[in-house]
């Protein structure tokens, strides 16, 4: 996803924060994926003052990533709680109370492996929260280009039930999944083509004049949201059917 759709990440981040509002959570260490123009960091500083906030650099949307990484690393040495901008993924010894991923999971070829890795780096009682583009995203383009030669699939754009199953398989507790549709309408084919490229729906080498634009000019975005807890992390269990539930989640009818 490129800077032409950075507004979308900002909008989805606001919706994720709204979904986290009723959850009792006071994280001391937060990981954001990806970092985009520092906007998400500022929003989380306001929401969780005093927390150390690390973020994973996204080279696709950061034109000056090497400079920003050096600047953030220098700042982290002066102000230990300022957080780090990571360019090599999550450090092996890092641990977090909250990991949040904003419109990144759909680009991963193995979302289950990513969830497993996050589980290793979440503390006991930690929370993972994410939003990604689901399988209905860009269905208008697929319908208009049935041959599919100019389009490409989003490898991690899985049905929300599949991601929910992956959370359970990776020993997360209390997984919650939901989704919504957003609709983008366009005045020109070129504007739709530009966003299709930014979303990863159109092959980078596809030419506009070779692409069939949908009629009417619009794109559907399926936004899937999910969150789950890490509980009983150090308890070994070979039973994949066992689930752990927080005591405060048990309510009397």
């Amino acid at each position: 996803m490129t800077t032409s759709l950075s507004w979308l990440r900002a909008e989805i981040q606001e919706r994720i924060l709204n979904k986290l509002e009723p959850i009792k959570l006071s994280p001391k260490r937060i990981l954001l994926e990806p970092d985009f123009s520092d906007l998400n960091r500022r929003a989380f500083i306001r929401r969780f003052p005093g927390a150390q906030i690390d973020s994973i650099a996204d080279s696709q949307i950061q034109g000056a990533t090497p400079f920003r990484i050096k600047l953030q690393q220098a700042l982290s040495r002066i102000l230990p709680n300022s957080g780090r901008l990571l360019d090599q993924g999550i450090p092996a010894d890092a641990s977090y109370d909250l990991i949040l991923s904003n419109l990144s999971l759909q680009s991963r070829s193995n979302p289950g492996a990513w969830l497993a890795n996050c589980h290793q780096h979440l503390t006991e009682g930690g929370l993972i929260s994410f939003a990604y583009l689901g399988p209905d995203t860009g269905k208008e383009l697929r319908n208009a280009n049935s041959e599919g030669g100019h389009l490409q699939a989003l490898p991690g754009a899985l049905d929300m039930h599949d991601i929910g199953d992956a959370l359970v398989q990776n020993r997360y507790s209390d997984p919650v999944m939901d989704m919504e549709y957003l609709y983008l309408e366009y005045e020109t084919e070129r504007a739709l083509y530009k966003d299709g490229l930014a979303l990863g729906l159109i092959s980078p080498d596809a030419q506009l004049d070779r692409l069939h634009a949908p009629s009417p000019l619009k794109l559907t975005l399926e936004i899937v949201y999910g969150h789950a807890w890490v509980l009983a992390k150090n308890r070994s269990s070979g039973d994949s059917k066992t689930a752990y539930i927080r005591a405060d989640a048990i309510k009397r009818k």
Side-chain angles (χ1 to χ4, degrees):
M1 185 175 295
T2 64
T3 52
S4 65
L5 279 175
S6 60
W7 65 267
L8 179 61
R9 272 205 171 113
E11 173 64 28
I12 298 305
Q13 175 183 277
E14 186 66 26
R15 298 184 185 213
I16 293 174
L17 285 172
N18 289 338
K19 289 178 180 293
L20 291 177
E21 191 68 39
I23 298 176
K24 295 180 180 179
L25 189 66
S26 299
K28 296 181 180 179
R29 297 175 300 278
I30 301 173
L31 176 67
L32 306 178
E33 182 202 27
D35 180 274
F36 59 102
S37 301
D38 210 36
L39 176 63
N40 48 0
R41 185 188 297 271
R42 293 198 300 272
F44 276 81
I45 288 174
R46 291 193 299 269
R47 174 68 186 276
F48 302 110
Q52 175 186 314
I53 302 175
D54 293 350
S55 55
I56 295 180
D58 188 338
S59 59
Q60 292 183 338
I61 62 174
Q62 295 293 344
T65 294
F67 172 76
R68 293 191 65 250
I69 291 174
K70 292 180 180 179
L71 180 63
Q72 190 64 39
Q73 288 174 342
L75 185 61
S76 66
R77 288 192 290 269
I78 301 173
L79 302 172
N81 288 333
S82 64
R84 299 169 292 176
L85 183 58
L86 309 170
D87 63 336
Q88 300 293 330
I90 308 176
D93 59 346
S95 63
Y96 298 98
D97 306 307
L98 171 63
I99 293 180
L100 185 141
S101 177
N102 185 349
L103 297 184
S104 177
L105 191 61
Q106 73 277 351
S107 63
R108 295 185 173 275
S109 59
N110 191 341
W114 177 80
L115 290 171
N117 185 49
C118 289
H119 190 279
Q120 294 178 3
H121 293 283
L122 278 163
T123 59
E124 175 76 18
L127 181 72
I128 186 171
S129 180
F130 54 85
Y132 69 93
L133 298 177
D136 277 345
T137 298
K139 60 183 179 181
E140 295 86 357
L141 273 172
R142 293 193 295 273
N143 292 338
N145 297 268
S146 56
E147 70 281 0
H150 307 297
L151 306 181
Q152 60 184 15
L154 299 174
L158 304 180
D159 184 88
M160 68 176 182
H161 299 98
D162 294 329
I163 296 297
D165 289 344
L167 287 168
V168 174
Q169 291 168 7
N170 285 286
R171 301 183 62 199
Y172 287 91
S173 300
D174 296 357
V176 176
M177 304 292 299
D178 68 308
M179 58 81 68
E180 65 179 340
Y181 288 116
L182 302 181
Y183 302 98
L184 306 181
E185 298 181 354
Y186 299 89
E187 294 184 351
T188 67
E189 293 183 6
R190 181 166 293 279
L192 186 148
Y193 169 77
K194 182 179 179 182
D195 278 2
L197 284 172
L199 290 165
L201 301 171
I202 299 175
S203 301
D205 57 349
Q207 299 300 316
L208 176 59
D209 58 0
R210 302 285 300 277
L211 194 72
H212 300 298
S215 180
L217 291 174
K218 75 171 188 176
L219 286 178
T220 294
L221 303 182
E222 180 185 358
I223 311 296
V224 181
Y225 303 91
H227 71 259
W229 297 87
V230 172
L231 303 177
K233 184 172 184 177
N234 298 320
R235 184 179 302 174
S236 62
S237 173
D239 182 6
S240 61
K241 297 181 180 180
T242 299
Y244 299 97
I245 303 173
R246 292 173 295 121
D248 63 358
I250 303 174
K251 300 185 183 299
R252 184 188 301 272
K253 280 191 175 182

